Amino acid sequence: MVRDIKVITVLGANGTVGSQVVKLLVTNLDVEVFLLCRTKEKALQAIDSIKIKAKENSIIGTMIPADFSTLADCVSHSDWIFESVSEDLAIKLRIFKQIIPFLNPNTLVSTGTSSFLIEQLVKPFNVGFRKQFYGTHFFNPPDKLLLLEFISTEWNDSEVSLKFENYLRKHLMRKCVRTKDVHGFLANRIGSIFLNDVALLAEECSDKGGVEYIDYIVGRFTGRSMAPLMTIDYIGVDVFMKILDNVRKDCPKYFQSNKSPQFLDTLLKEGKHGRKTGSGLYRLNILPNGSKEKYVFDLKSKRYCSIKNYQYTFIARMIDLQIQGDLVASFQVLMGSNEDEAMLCKYLLLRYITISYLAVKEAVFEEKDVDTAMEYGYSWISPRKLVFLLGGSKGLRLLRDSNKRIRHTIEDIDIEELGAFQVPIQESDLRFFTYIKKSN
């Protein structure tokens, strides 16, 4: 049985995800939360930071600083223990070994990992611990990205699992998706492979502008809050590469190529990890007068250059129609365009669809969960809705016959089955296009 959750311990509460989850807990729940860190000083610093970010008057729970000297007391009084320590298997296993002697049999234990299989984390321990343990992969930042991937195993009690998942839905307002215990689960499995494909195409098109060129032709007008390579910059090149390496462990058939573009390795080695380090695929300069100048990493010169102002007829027309609220007509423009850039755009959208189609078969129990995963984890329009916008089976057949690159990406997939991988759009789907400006 799941007992009432009144006390929660967050292991690694001063980390990026740990502190964000604490903030989510204390602003939504009237609970006590132990922030267990390596030192009490780090826990106090985390509390101060959370109070500032959350606005202290919005906090309804109680935060209690703790270190490992009080681990036994924290664990024995907790109804739920959430682990968010370093993504290092040895460290995680060592901490689980430390908490097991003090666990109550009805205490829930979960990990926020996206790097390891849940089976890897629990198999070294007894069946009792395995029964209590779940995957609860929050997307960061959780106040903006509501997706939570929920992973149960053969050892969990189905009734307890359902109650825990419902608790996360109801009390933390999570958009929960049950995934299978596979590397990357679902959203990162799709997102990382697609983003790698986009980056490889940028490298191929370095003579035409590379990063900014590809980000422009598969930008926000394709149904995403942020252009793809800008998304890597936001995630962090280092974090993205770790996710990608993890996903590669058990889904090589998804990849067009089993390599990553050289420029990502270059940025990684130079410590240019993206927005968090001040430079990556993009760089933002703040001038003395407070104005901002944005630059992009040029793949030819390996220097930061001013962003060009690209103009393509099909994009301008699509944006005009989207501003009018007509998504169907907008994508008909894309389907009818033979501009080189339109063909590249259609190719990448089809890659997103096919990667998702394959991932769904391996990573989730219900096809519809891909809508929730991508819309609330990445803020991208669902791949099934893109199939609808591209015209279903008829549209995909036209695409297949229009271009060798496109034909190659779907040649081993049943076109009718892929065409059936769709759901009609709704008026609310315009939210994925609300960031559009006429200048894009």
Side-chain angles (χ1 to χ4, degrees), residues 80-188:
W80 173 22
I81 296 168
F82 175 73
E83 176 273 311
S84 187
V85 301
S86 301
E87 293 291 73
D88 181 301
L89 183 60
I91 291 173
K92 290 181 185 293
L93 294 179
R94 184 166 65 246
I95 286 176
F96 296 147
K97 187 175 181 179
Q98 286 179 267
I99 71 172
I100 285 173
F102 311 107
L103 274 176
N104 290 305
N106 291 328
T107 297
L108 297 165
V109 184
S110 73
T111 176
T113 190
S114 61
S115 299
F116 302 106
L117 298 177
I118 305 306
E119 184 180 2
Q120 280 180 280
L121 298 175
V122 298
K123 204 157 189 183
F125 305 109
N126 62 42
V127 173
F129 182 65
R130 296 177 197 175
K131 286 180 67 175
Q132 295 173 258
F133 197 93
Y134 293 87
T136 52
H137 179 217
F138 290 84
F139 274 65
N140 193 46
D143 56 340
K144 292 188 174 78
L145 300 175
L146 302 182
L147 176 65
L148 184 144
E149 291 174 318
F150 185 84
I151 306 96
S152 58
T153 65
E154 62 183 290
W155 297 291
N156 299 129
D157 178 274
S158 59
E159 184 180 349
V160 172
S161 299
L162 183 60
K163 287 183 177 180
F164 188 21
E165 184 182 0
N166 286 338
Y167 173 86
L168 296 166
R169 289 181 191 273
K170 180 179 178 181
H171 296 286
L172 292 183
M173 283 74 75
R174 295 301 92 187
K175 300 291 184 178
C176 290
V177 167
R178 278 209 181 202
T179 79
K180 298 177 185 177
D181 194 16
V182 296
H183 288 103
F185 307 129
L186 180 63
N188 279 340

Side-chain angles (χ1 to χ4, degrees), residues 38-60:
R38 280 177 297 184
T39 66
K40 200 166 185 176
E41 182 182 12
K42 287 184 181 294
L44 287 166
Q45 289 171 352
I47 289 173
D48 288 340
S49 176
I50 290 164
K51 285 180 178 178
I52 292 169
K53 291 175 182 175
K55 296 182 182 177
E56 194 164 354
N57 61 4
S58 69
I59 295 174
I60 59 174

Side-chain angles (χ1 to χ4, degrees), residues 367-380:
E367 186 178 277
K368 66 180 177 60
D369 283 341
V370 74
D371 307 333
T372 304
M374 300 317 296
E375 292 182 355
Y376 291 97
Y378 274 78
S379 291
W380 295 350

Side-chain angles (χ1 to χ4, degrees), residues 317-369:
R317 182 62 183 141
M318 286 182 73
I319 291 171
D320 282 340
L321 288 165
Q322 289 171 11
I323 290 170
Q324 296 169 35
D326 197 338
L327 294 182
V328 172
S330 170
F331 278 81
Q332 286 174 348
V333 170
L334 175 62
M335 289 294 289
S337 176
N338 290 319
E339 290 182 64
D340 289 345
E341 286 71 25
M343 301 309 291
L344 289 176
C345 179
K346 286 184 276 192
Y347 160 72
L348 285 173
L349 293 184
L350 197 55
R351 279 297 292 156
Y352 171 45
I353 289 166
T354 55
I355 292 165
S356 302
Y357 168 79
L358 293 170
V360 161
K361 292 179 176 295
E362 294 185 355
V364 285
F365 302 94
E366 296 187 64
E367 186 178 277
K368 66 180 177 60
D369 283 341

